[in-house]
Amino acid sequence: MIHQLLKQYWGYDQFRPLQEDIIRAVLQGHDTLALLPTGGGKSICFQVPALALGGLCVVVSPLIALMKDQVEQLQQRGIAAAALYSGMSAKAIDLTLEQAAQGQLQFLYLSPERLRTELFLARAPRMPIKLLAIDEAHCISQWGYDFRPPYLQIADFRATLPADTRLIAVTATATEQVKLDIQEKLRFKPDSRVFQKSFARANLSYSAFEEENKETRMLKILNNVRGTAVVYVRNRKRTQQIAEWLSRQGISADFYHAGLNHTQRAHKQDRWIRNQTRVMVATNAFGMGIDKPDVRVVVHLDLPDSLEAYYQEAGRGGRDEQKAYAVALYEQKDLQELDRQLAQSYPPAEQLRAVYQALANHYQLAVGAESTQSFSFDVADFAKQAQLNASMVYYSLKVLQDEGFIQLNDAFFSPSQVMLLLPHQDTYEYQLKQPTFEPLLSGLLRTYGGVLYQQFCRISEAQLATQLRTKTAIVVQQLQYLHQQGILSYEQQKDSPQLQFLTIRYAADRLPLNHQRLAERKAVAQEKIAAVQHYMQHRQRCRTQLLLEYFGEVSYQPCEICDICLAKRKAASASEDYGLYSPQIKALLSAEPLSAQVLAQRIDAARQERVMAVVRQMLDEGLLQLSPSQQLMLAT
């Protein structure tokens, strides 16, 4: 059956390694943890068993972009799926939950914060939940690199479900400590199963180079390695600067970051995916949900703050199993910058309280008030209005989110949606009484049909305006008026970060910060930074072995393609050449002085460069010397 589902919905004849084993473990009722590298097909590991089980699969995911991407892919395959996320109206959330309760959905994606809401908890008992899937499961562990406190309450929610509800947790990166923590925090049953595909990538060559001029070295790499590339940097301004610099060097490049609007992001992604742009210079906002198999090189011009992040970003290269390169370039100041950023990332309590108070003032929330609303949010504008340092605000918001007080999502595109709220007859009567709005309502029904009475439909105000021969602004204005009158529910498109308060509004001086957990998180972050610094500066062991060891996987086989392995091979080859050629060089020069070219030609015409390398080494060692006429001769 599972092979039939794979063929029917995905068009594949067989599963990738480990996928079938994972799926069968889930179907047999074992709590299952699956660790598959980026691009390893994690989503199929819960989507296929969910379809086989029937009913509803609730997928807990921390990233809106990934939720929306997977929902759209499922819908394109004819599978009923929906997502709940910040920025949706109460009406849209209510409708989606009711569809899930009535068995109209096969997949419901939501954030861990959503599991705690009264609205969800009231409907959950009516939902035919057969499978609970935890995506990005490393977020449940405080030893993970992206800890999310609301994940800790998933086990409590699971306890309210029928005993035969299946559980699967998936992630791309987890150390041994994190793997154990995931199982403990989700309260895995004794007969649980853990599957882990090797983190080794046989086709991916890892390198790390200390460079005084990183841009020049990057340019050399891009000129030597043809094909699509990604260059990662840490901030938005730098993406544009580097992309423009590359363009001036004759390389097709563009930039990408979360501050771009939807149209800009989609256009840039599309050109890059179609190979119309060769190099994308980006922050870590780029790559999520973008599956381009033929990326030949990934360059880190700035360093990430964990090996988990580095492994995921570097792993976007060579997904077609062809040779690819992951290169990190750094200076000593970059290693020091990681320590400075760590100090910034954990602001003192008084700063956290000041930012929290400024947020409450900004949105006019009184102490004790509770808000379910999502607010459009711009960090720079907020910091300016609150007269606070933008960098301090950014890091404070991250801590407040980690502590579960707020949820702040990066910018994502949510298209405009409409649903008619009145019955068909009442809508018709309204059109007769209000002829001003008759063209718009008729246009909506003509374009989208009766489904408008059952669910939200995506609309384009510009297309409607063209059909009605009017201006887009007028269509928007009329939709807003009809929304206020309760005739329809209109959600205008959003393309900005969304902020939501997850708890009641505390008095800032009584904000219940968990100081012990913050100290522990800082210590964990320091360990992760130390691991990055060690990896970058290490010059003895194979890069792949270093990464595997970090993730708890032992390998005694060097990759043979990283910078360390290649340097060792080159050194071994040079030593072999020295032993072979140096006696011949001495023998020939003992008879007469010779030019370097003649010497190399006589010894090995096919490998003259290798002979010349030995000659240079012997000159450095003082075994040879040059005559006034530039002839080689034995040193006296």
Side-chain angles (χ1 to χ4, degrees), residues 240-258:
Q240 185 169 355
Q241 290 173 337
I242 297 299
E244 291 174 351
W245 183 82
L246 284 172
S247 296
R248 291 195 296 271
Q249 311 310 311
I251 289 181
S252 170
D254 203 348
F255 64 95
Y256 184 104
H257 55 70

Side-chain angles (χ1 to χ4, degrees), residues 252-529:
S252 170
D254 203 348
F255 64 95
Y256 184 104
H257 55 70
L260 301 169
N261 63 42
H262 170 71
T263 301
Q264 293 171 319
R265 293 198 302 272
H267 177 69
K268 290 170 183 284
Q269 284 180 14
D270 186 63
R271 285 185 56 82
W272 182 74
I273 288 170
R274 294 175 182 273
N275 296 323
Q276 293 170 335
T277 299
R278 182 187 165 204
V279 180
M280 187 67 79
V281 185
T283 62
N284 60 8
F286 184 73
M288 293 294 184
I290 300 172
D291 189 13
K292 183 171 171 59
D294 60 344
V295 176
R296 298 274 66 87
V297 60
V298 177
V299 178
H300 277 81
L301 209 54
D302 293 325
L303 299 181
D305 52 15
S306 72
L307 285 181
E308 288 93 336
Y310 177 72
Y311 178 81
Q312 284 203 344
E313 291 162 11
R316 294 187 175 117
R319 291 190 184 181
D320 56 3
E321 303 300 323
Q322 301 301 309
K323 186 70 175 291
Y325 300 86
V327 185
L329 303 176
Y330 70 93
E331 300 176 71
Q332 282 300 312
K333 66 180 183 181
D334 294 323
L335 302 175
Q336 297 160 6
E337 175 68 9
L338 290 176
D339 291 320
R340 190 188 69 80
Q341 287 173 345
L342 174 69
Q344 277 192 316
S345 297
Y346 291 88
E350 58 269 22
Q351 286 189 15
L352 297 174
R353 298 183 194 281
V355 171
Y356 183 82
Q357 180 66 56
L359 277 176
N361 295 344
H362 189 70
Y363 294 113
Q364 299 182 338
L365 283 179
V367 173
E370 189 170 4
S371 173
T372 58
Q373 182 181 352
S374 292
F375 305 99
S376 292
F377 185 79
D378 184 281
V379 172
D381 287 347
F382 169 75
K384 187 175 181 180
Q385 290 183 33
Q387 296 183 328
L388 295 170
N389 176 271
S391 180
M392 184 269 283
V393 167
Y394 171 78
Y395 289 111
S396 297
L397 290 172
K398 290 196 71 172
V399 174
L400 291 172
Q401 175 166 274
D402 288 346
E403 286 294 283
F405 299 117
I406 62 169
Q407 183 177 4
L408 178 60
N409 297 306
D410 284 336
F412 68 96
F413 179 66
S414 179
S416 295
Q417 299 184 96
V418 164
M419 178 181 176
L420 290 171
L421 301 180
L422 297 180
H424 183 274
Q425 185 60 36
D426 291 351
T427 304
Y428 176 68
E429 291 177 1
Y430 185 86
Q431 287 175 271
L432 294 177
K433 293 177 182 177
Q434 300 287 341
T436 302
F437 300 99
E438 193 280 332
L440 175 59
L441 290 168
S442 294
L444 283 169
L445 287 164
R446 188 166 54 250
T447 304
Y448 303 101
V451 72
L452 280 166
Y453 291 103
Q454 283 92 43
Q455 64 185 47
F456 277 90
C457 294
R458 294 181 179 182
I459 67 164
S460 167
E461 294 91 338
Q463 288 181 3
L464 281 169
T466 300
Q467 292 171 15
L468 301 175
R469 297 182 180 179
T470 186
K471 295 180 179 179
T472 302
I474 293 176
V475 170
V476 171
Q477 187 179 17
Q478 290 189 344
L479 286 169
Q480 290 172 339
Y481 178 81
L482 292 171
H483 176 88
Q484 293 167 0
Q485 296 300 307
I487 308 304
L488 52 75
S489 182
Y490 171 51
E491 290 191 13
Q492 197 166 357
Q493 77 174 42
K494 298 182 179 69
D495 193 20
S496 61
Q498 298 290 305
L499 183 141
Q500 183 178 6
F501 284 82
L502 298 177
T503 66
I504 62 166
R505 200 284 233 190
Y506 292 97
D509 60 348
R510 296 185 180 181
L511 190 65
L513 295 167
N514 189 327
H515 297 287
Q516 180 181 347
R517 183 165 63 198
L518 286 173
E520 290 173 350
R521 289 290 297 151
K522 186 174 182 179
V524 170
Q526 178 61 69
E527 290 178 8
K528 293 186 179 302
I529 285 172

